[in-house]
């Protein structure tokens, strides 16, 4: 869907040059990569490594010095930039909402530019606000300053999606909010993406965010991509010392997010599986995981001790260890029931923090866990 072919960008070397020739060092150096339709690729790396430059060349806010970029097979250089930008959603950290326009009108910006009838544009905007978790009746008529930072970011996402563009560019979209809100926005965005399946390029300097959101990650060094692979592979098998260093020491912790819970991590239930209300809907639990003291003392003692209480959290097999740990930390007994995917009544075993530790140890030793957590 998006293809970079030997793309290099040199900016003009500041004041001295005088020519419009691009004679600076390459901000981006001979990039070649593909993003598949419906794929979410995160670009991650330190400040100044060329992430934003890469992204802005897709919607022609920046023109490459050499090489070309294809969008659905078409060279973007041949497309009128204004028309191009109306077909590509763009979300930036500073959000850039119009302060004197209501949330509803902000969200309807692109449909309005595309000439939709006003009523239809507003109806679409209301739909999108709803989709990003903002009640249009309650927030639609507010002005941006009457929203929290997190709500403004949601409006930014709704606005970018309003004209249903196939491609979404997101530059540090969750960077301006505090960590708790950021984690919630990430979770919401993953759910949203599971529904809308856009082709997404998302820039972040935060490895944890890149790992959490990306189907694949491009790890940038200076102007170059040092590794382009699934999160699990980048974390488990860094391509070179630079990536290994970037991925860093708490790699094991980050691997929690990309390592699925398997049957081998469970303790058997001691007796008949508990019945009762299948407590909170199964699925990822969006609770922040405290770093690095992530393995608290277990309150129950050892495996095979007890059954989870009927109201205890339940999770399906296959969720990430990170989500499993988050659920564990919320439960007083320190024990959760793990059931077959799609069948909450069939409890396969229980999970304790010891089980998480075991799983992590085993996978850090390199036995498995190189497959990404599915279905996201
Ligand atoms: P990132 O988004 O990874 O922080 P950028 O793509 O913004 O990096 O910048 C890459 C490099 O290009 C940096 O060295 C930056 O100073 C330079 N650069 C970015 N924009 C311009 C510009 N408009 N003019 C000159 N140099 C620029
Ligand atoms: Mg940037």
């Amino acid at each position: 869907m998006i293809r970079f072919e030997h793309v290099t960008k040199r900016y003009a070397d500041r004041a001295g040059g005088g020519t419009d020739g691009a004679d600076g060092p390459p901000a981006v150096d001979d990039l070649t990569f593909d993003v598949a339709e419906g794929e979410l690729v995160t670009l991650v790396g330190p400040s100044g490594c060329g992430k934003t430059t890469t992204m802005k060349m897709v919607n022609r806010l920046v023109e490459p010095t050499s090489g070309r970029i294809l969008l659905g097979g078409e060279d973007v250089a041949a497309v009128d930039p204004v028309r191009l930008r109306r077909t590509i959603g763009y979300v930036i950290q500073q959000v850039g909402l119009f302060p004197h326009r209501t949330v509803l009108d902000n969200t309807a910006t692109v449909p309005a530019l595309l000439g939709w009838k006003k009523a239809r544009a507003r109806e679409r905007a209301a739909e999108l606000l709803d989709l990003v978790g903002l009640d249009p009746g309650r927030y639609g008529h507010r002005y941006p300053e009457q929203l929290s930072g997190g709500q403004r970011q949601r409006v930014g996402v709704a606005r970018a999606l309003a004209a249903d563009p196939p491609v979404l560019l997101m530059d540090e979209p969750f960077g301006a909010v505090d960590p708790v809100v950021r984690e919630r926005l990430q979770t919401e965005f993953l759910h949203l993406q599971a529904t809308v399946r856009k082709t997404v390029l998302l820039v972040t300097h935060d490895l944890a965010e890149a790992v959490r959101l990306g189907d694949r990650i491009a790890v940038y060094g200076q102007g170059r991509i040092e590794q382009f692979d699934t999160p699990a592979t980048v974390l488990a098998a860094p391509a070179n010392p630079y990536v290994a260093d970037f991925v860093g020491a708490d790699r094991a912790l980050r691997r929690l997010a990309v390592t699925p819970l398997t049957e081998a991590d469970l303790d058997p239930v001691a007796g008949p599986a508990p019945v009762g209300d299948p407590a909170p809907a199964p699925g990822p639990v969006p609770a922040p995981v405290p770093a690095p003291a992530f393995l608290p003392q277990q309150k129950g003692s050892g495996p095979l001790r007890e059954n989870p209480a009927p109201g205890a959290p339940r999770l399906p097999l296959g969720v990430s260890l990170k989500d499993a740990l988050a659920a564990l930390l919320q439960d007083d007994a320190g024990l959760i029931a793990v059931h077959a995917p799609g069948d909450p009544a069939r409890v396969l075993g229980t999970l304790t923090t010891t089980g998480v530790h075991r799983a992590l140890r085993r996978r850090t030793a390199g036995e498995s866990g190189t497959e990404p957590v599915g279905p996201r």
Side-chain angles (χ1 to χ4, degrees):
M1 183 72 191
I2 305 175
R3 161 169 292 179
F4 275 65
E5 289 180 353
H6 301 289
V7 175
T8 294
K9 173 63 187 180
R10 295 173 187 272
Y11 291 102
D13 202 5
R14 347 161 243 280
T19 63
D20 59 351
D23 51 358
V28 153
D29 191 4
D30 194 27
L31 287 189
T32 296
F33 65 88
D34 273 307
V35 182
E37 186 164 351
E39 189 179 28
L40 196 167
V41 168
T42 50
L43 312 182
V44 68
S47 179
C49 66
K51 306 179 299 291
T52 295
T53 298
T54 303
M55 175 160 290
K56 284 182 167 174
M57 288 189 291
V58 177
N59 64 3
R60 295 190 65 188
L61 289 170
V62 167
E63 299 291 352
T65 307
S66 59
R68 57 180 202 156
I69 297 161
L70 306 176
L71 204 63
E74 191 178 11
D75 188 342
V76 296
V79 185
D80 172 60
V82 174
R83 189 168 77 77
L84 183 70
R85 278 169 220 151
R86 286 179 190 167
T87 62
I88 298 177
Y90 189 42
V91 185
I92 54 175
Q93 182 178 325
Q94 306 82 324
V95 194
L97 299 178
F98 301 113
H100 54 282
R101 284 198 202 161
T102 64
V103 163
L104 201 64
D105 285 340
N106 262 289
T107 308
T109 302
V110 177
L113 286 172
L114 290 172
W116 294 24
K117 290 242 160 56
K118 196 159 185 171
R120 181 167 164 241
R122 290 197 159 180
E123 197 178 305
R124 174 68 181 163
E127 249 173 64
L128 261 300
L129 288 172
D130 207 32
L131 197 62
V132 298
L134 290 175
D135 176 2
R138 180 153 174 217
Y139 297 102
H141 298 284
R142 293 197 189 179
Y143 289 89
E145 62 168 18
Q146 297 169 308
L147 301 179
S148 72
Q151 289 168 338
R152 277 198 290 267
Q153 290 292 349
R154 290 193 187 113
V155 177
V157 172
R159 183 176 61 174
L161 288 170
D164 205 19
V167 172
L168 207 52
L169 306 177
M170 308 180 82
D171 197 345
E172 307 267 4
F174 312 126
V177 293
D178 67 72
V180 174
V181 175
R182 186 183 317 162
E183 176 129 356
R184 200 161 63 219
L185 289 174
Q186 289 169 355
T187 304
E188 289 173 6
F189 182 69
L190 282 175
H191 286 137
L192 183 64
Q193 168 65 359
T195 338
V196 298
R197 273 289 154 204
K198 300 298 178 187
T199 304
V200 185
L201 269 186
L202 185 147
V203 163
T204 178
H205 62 270
D206 175 7
L207 180 65
E209 179 164 284
V211 162
R212 179 143 197 245
L213 299 181
D215 295 316
R216 287 189 297 162
I217 309 181
V219 181
Y220 273 65
Q222 272 316 314
R224 291 179 157 273
I225 294 177
E226 299 287 343
Q227 188 168 13
F228 193 132
D229 216 317
T230 60
T233 302
V234 169
L235 296 178
N240 56 43
Y242 172 87
V243 178
D245 189 47
F246 184 74
V247 162
D250 55 346
R251 180 165 133 188
L253 185 57
R254 293 195 170 110
R255 293 194 67 193
L256 283 173
V258 291
T259 305
L261 182 62
T262 66
E263 208 151 358
D265 307 327
L266 308 180
D267 294 317
V269 280
V275 276
D277 308 329
V285 177
V289 175
F294 65 104
L295 292 174
Q297 287 309 302
Q298 200 184 315
K299 291 162 211 140
S301 45
L304 264 180
R305 239 8 83 84
E306 49 195 325
N307 279 334
R314 288 153 173 263
L315 288 175
L317 205 64
V319 297
S320 71
L321 287 176
K322 185 181 177 202
D323 286 336
L325 184 61
L328 268 176
L329 294 173
Q330 286 188 326
D331 179 54
D332 288 338
L335 188 74
I336 56 177
V338 178
H339 60 78
D343 186 0
R346 195 155 77 83
V347 174
L348 301 171
T350 62
L351 181 74
T352 63
T353 52
T354 311
V356 174
H357 194 201
R358 226 168 32 221
L360 200 57
R361 278 279 184 81
R362 190 173 57 240
R363 283 173 192 130
T364 306
E367 183 186 306
S368 75
T370 48
E371 70 250 74
V373 174
R376 281 211 353 229

